[in-house]
Amino acid sequence: MKNPKTKWIIPGIGLLCLILGLFQITGARSTAIAESASAGDQLQYAVKLILSLLGLIAVIVPFLPKSNVRKTDTRTLTMAAMFAALCYIGFTFFKIDIPVGSEKTAFHLGNVFCVLAALFLGGFWGGMAGSVGMTIADLTTGYITSAPKTFLLKLCIGLIVGFMAHRVFKLSQEHDKKFLTMATVVSAAAGMAFNVVGDPLVGYFYKLYVLGIPQEIATAWAKMGAVTTLVNAIIAVICSSVFYLALRPALKRTGMLKPSETR
């Protein structure tokens, strides 16, 4: 039996990383956002932000339902890695960049696979697949300073879709076709509705206060970002729902559907 005190080791380390990361972020911000900042400076700054977010996740994980995180096998990890790769491909190779001053936003297909991952794997692993895949895409396609925001928002999308699908609708259980379609679309739409509001709003304050971008540019980005996010959301809901409903019977036959959460 595990010592109850040991369960606090990981969140303790996470809290320490979070505090240290925040101090590092404060000191490195001016260098990263300067006009003369190199890609290396921006990358270091983004990595520090991401490490701080990982520290925050380590603090939160012990308070998540056990079925979300701890009942994990090789198959789940393999599927999460596959969906992370699909999220990376969906953003990196299927996007249209829209410049907004010194910033940019994009139409892309990455959210499709983030939502699909949450439908198949549940909130935590679906969100982590989206976070990891699309954060790596940001770091390698000129969106370096947006990577921390992406990491947080995609994790939230996964958690919301997974909660609706597996705790509210019990999507992996037996249902008639009409209910199954409704539950899939509503679950996907819930995550994307959050993103339609959260992405421009969080992005505005992130760019204004964390990156120090001028208010007029941050405002213009938020307005254009609201348009691209809405279009991306509609595409994600339609495509992820179609893919899930098409693939679900085959995965059910092979026993690869995530069991619905009952608590």
Side-chain angles (χ1 to χ4, degrees), residues 58-215:
V59 174
I60 294 173
V61 162
F63 300 98
L64 293 174
K66 294 182 179 180
S67 57
N68 275 350
V69 181
R70 299 182 186 178
K71 294 182 180 179
T72 304
D73 53 21
T74 303
R75 180 178 58 190
T76 300
L77 293 175
T78 301
M79 290 185 67
M82 179 193 70
F83 279 115
L86 289 172
C87 288
Y88 172 84
I89 292 170
F91 183 83
T92 303
F93 299 106
F94 297 93
K95 77 174 186 297
I96 301 173
D97 293 320
I98 309 293
V100 184
S102 60
E103 297 296 297
K104 56 184 176 179
T105 182
F107 297 106
H108 63 85
L109 298 183
N111 289 336
V112 172
F113 301 105
C114 180
V115 173
L116 194 60
L119 291 173
F120 279 124
L121 300 177
F124 181 78
W125 287 112
M128 286 302 294
S131 292
V132 171
M134 295 186 67
T135 297
I136 294 174
D138 275 356
L139 293 174
T140 56
T141 59
Y143 287 80
I144 293 175
T145 53
S146 295
K149 174 181 70 73
T150 294
F151 186 94
L152 179 62
L153 290 174
K154 302 318 172 189
L155 177 61
C156 290
I157 290 172
L159 291 174
I160 292 170
V161 174
F163 176 83
M164 293 297 297
H166 298 289
R167 291 180 68 86
V168 175
F169 293 117
K170 306 294 187 293
L171 198 59
S172 297
Q173 296 179 5
E174 290 292 337
H175 300 289
D176 60 66
K177 188 174 181 180
K178 184 177 180 180
F179 178 88
L180 191 63
T181 301
M182 180 276 296
T184 301
V185 172
V186 171
S187 298
M192 286 294 95
F194 159 80
N195 199 53
V196 167
V197 176
D199 194 280
L201 188 62
V202 173
Y204 172 78
F205 289 106
Y206 172 75
K207 291 180 181 298
L208 188 64
Y209 295 109
V210 178
L211 297 182
I213 291 190
Q215 185 174 12

Side-chain angles (χ1 to χ4, degrees), residues 120 171-175 180 244 247-258:
F120 279 124
L171 198 59
S172 297
Q173 296 179 5
E174 290 292 337
H175 300 289
L180 191 63
Y244 178 80
L247 294 171
R248 186 179 185 275
L251 292 181
K252 185 175 179 61
R253 286 195 298 271
T254 58
M256 294 182 68
L257 281 183
K258 170 186 169 58

